[in-house]
Amino acid sequence: MRIALDAMGTDDAPSSEVEGAVAAVEADVGVHVLLVGDRTAIAGALSRFPRRNRITVVHAPDRVMASDTPTSALRRPGSSINVGLSLQKAGDADAFVSAGSTGAVMAASVVLLRPLRGVDRPPVATVFPTDHGPTLVADVGANIECKPRQLVEFARLGAIYMQDLQGLESPRVGLLNVGTESEKGTEVLQAAYRLLAGSGLNFVGNVEGGDILRHACDVAVCDGFTGNILLKFYESVAAFVVRKLAPPGLRGNGLREEIQDRLRDLDYAEHGGAPLLGVNGVSVICHGRSSPRAIKAGIGVAARAVRSGMVAHMARDLAAARESQV
């Protein structure tokens, strides 16, 4: 399995990507990583690792920065994002992973890989850990405003992700709202509720923000505006708790380390990247501050998506949904 990894995406590129790639191939003998980026910079980072089986460097002379526009990768064919996705489009890679500009990765993935038939707006989804299992939230930033039928698409795609990558037979789908009653929320949310109720999915109704940590559903559906705010807040919780319970200089390092270990499940690095669902390929977006451990986890997410046949499963489900509506 060939995973194309954008080696120029993180704040610490290409060091984090190279170390994460080495760790990934050591952990999974079925993975071959294609490091895409500046050949000279990657070679320097790789020199620290004398053993680097199943790692190939693919030169890409250009890099999309976080400050660049989302369409930058498309206008710059030599960028690591464009080259990496083009490898997948051409069949020379089975998946793509990047910690680069989220907007650029999304835009290039949609244009180069193309949405699956029946998908209007591919969502970005990410796993939120809870005490009782993971909850997938979609969308977390790709689509700021959504129509009711698009929220149903997110639910359908998210349910397949949880089936294929988390092994859930019938994932519970919840609609993120300001109350649990069916008449709550905007006109869009009320219409989405009605569509979800008749979708054939395991729809459990509206869920509130606090219900996610209580694991009231396996897939929480929302527009990207709401989801991104929720994601950014969630990412800040662990560091806040550690600072309050064991601030540096006030408590012993042992206590601080114990608290950090207990809160490890809240760390995005434990769960890998956020997949862009509904495109004709596997595109995983990691955080720009991703550590080598986070890069390794992102590669793991991509590998599981490929092995499970997730994209083909989504295409079949979407086709069946279209037929049922005829």
Side-chain angles (χ1 to χ4, degrees):
M1 184 191 308
R2 301 153 300 174
I3 308 293
L5 172 64
D6 174 11
M8 312 307 294
T10 66
D11 299 340
D12 193 32
S15 179
S16 289
E17 285 86 349
V18 167
E19 187 174 342
V22 171
V25 297
E26 289 178 349
D28 189 338
V29 296
V31 166
H32 185 127
V33 175
L34 308 174
L35 285 169
V36 183
D38 181 81
R39 184 185 294 112
T40 302
I42 295 173
L46 273 173
S47 65
R48 298 166 41 216
F49 303 95
R51 296 183 59 189
R52 46 179 184 269
N53 297 327
R54 303 190 313 281
I55 290 181
T56 302
V57 178
V58 178
H59 183 59
D62 202 356
R63 176 183 184 182
V64 176
M65 307 300 294
S67 58
D68 293 331
T69 63
T71 57
S72 294
L74 295 169
R75 295 199 305 267
R76 291 150 66 176
S79 71
S80 54
I81 292 173
N82 194 300
V83 172
L85 282 166
S86 295
L87 287 170
Q88 185 177 181
K89 180 182 179 181
D92 296 322
D94 302 296
F96 176 69
V97 178
S98 176
S101 164
T102 298
V105 175
M106 289 191 300
S109 296
V110 169
V111 171
L112 293 173
L113 300 179
R114 308 301 300 171
L116 293 170
R117 186 183 176 193
V119 175
D120 186 22
R121 299 273 193 90
V124 174
T126 193
V127 169
F128 283 48
T130 77
D131 282 342
H132 305 289
T135 293
L136 187 79
V137 179
D139 183 8
V140 294
N143 306 286
I144 300 303
E145 295 182 354
C146 298
K147 298 177 181 178
R149 62 181 174 79
Q150 291 164 347
L151 294 174
V152 177
E153 288 175 13
F154 300 171
R156 198 172 297 283
L157 296 170
I160 293 173
Y161 180 92
M162 295 302 280
Q163 287 175 338
D164 290 354
L165 273 73
Q166 297 293 334
L168 300 181
E169 183 176 348
S170 181
R172 298 164 300 152
V173 174
L175 180 63
L176 192 59
N177 207 333
V178 295
T180 57
E181 299 85 356
S182 60
E183 69 274 9
K184 287 286 188 176
T186 63
E187 291 183 3
V188 168
L189 291 175
Q190 292 177 29
Y193 186 103
R194 293 190 294 270
L195 291 175
L196 285 166
S199 67
L201 295 166
N202 185 9
F203 180 53
V204 296
N206 288 329
V207 295
E208 298 177 313
D211 293 330
I212 292 177
L213 287 177
R214 289 190 287 272
H215 200 226
C217 61
D218 302 301
V219 179
V221 178
C222 59
D223 60 69
F225 183 87
T226 303
N228 193 262
I229 291 174
L230 182 65
L231 173 64
K232 298 295 175 56
F233 176 79
Y234 201 89
E235 287 179 344
S236 69
V237 170
F240 172 78
V241 173
V242 170
R243 288 196 304 271
K244 296 298 288 185
L245 296 182
L250 183 63
R251 307 276 184 112
N253 287 334
L255 176 61
R256 185 178 179 85
E257 290 173 359
E258 180 180 350
I259 292 172
Q260 287 176 323
D261 186 64
R262 288 178 178 271
L263 294 174
R264 192 175 300 280
D265 272 350
L266 296 181
D267 185 355
Y268 63 85
E270 292 291 323
H271 303 278
L276 181 64
L277 302 180
V279 292
N280 191 23
V282 176
S283 181
V284 177
I285 305 170
C286 299
H287 202 292
R289 297 194 302 274
S290 288
S291 64
R293 183 163 56 91
I295 295 296
K296 175 189 173 185
I299 294 171
V301 168
R304 293 198 303 276
V306 173
R307 287 192 174 110
S308 69
M310 181 187 74
V311 175
H313 185 180
M314 289 178 176
R316 292 194 305 271
D317 188 85
L318 291 165
R322 288 196 304 273
E323 290 177 4
S324 68
Q325 295 169 2
V326 175

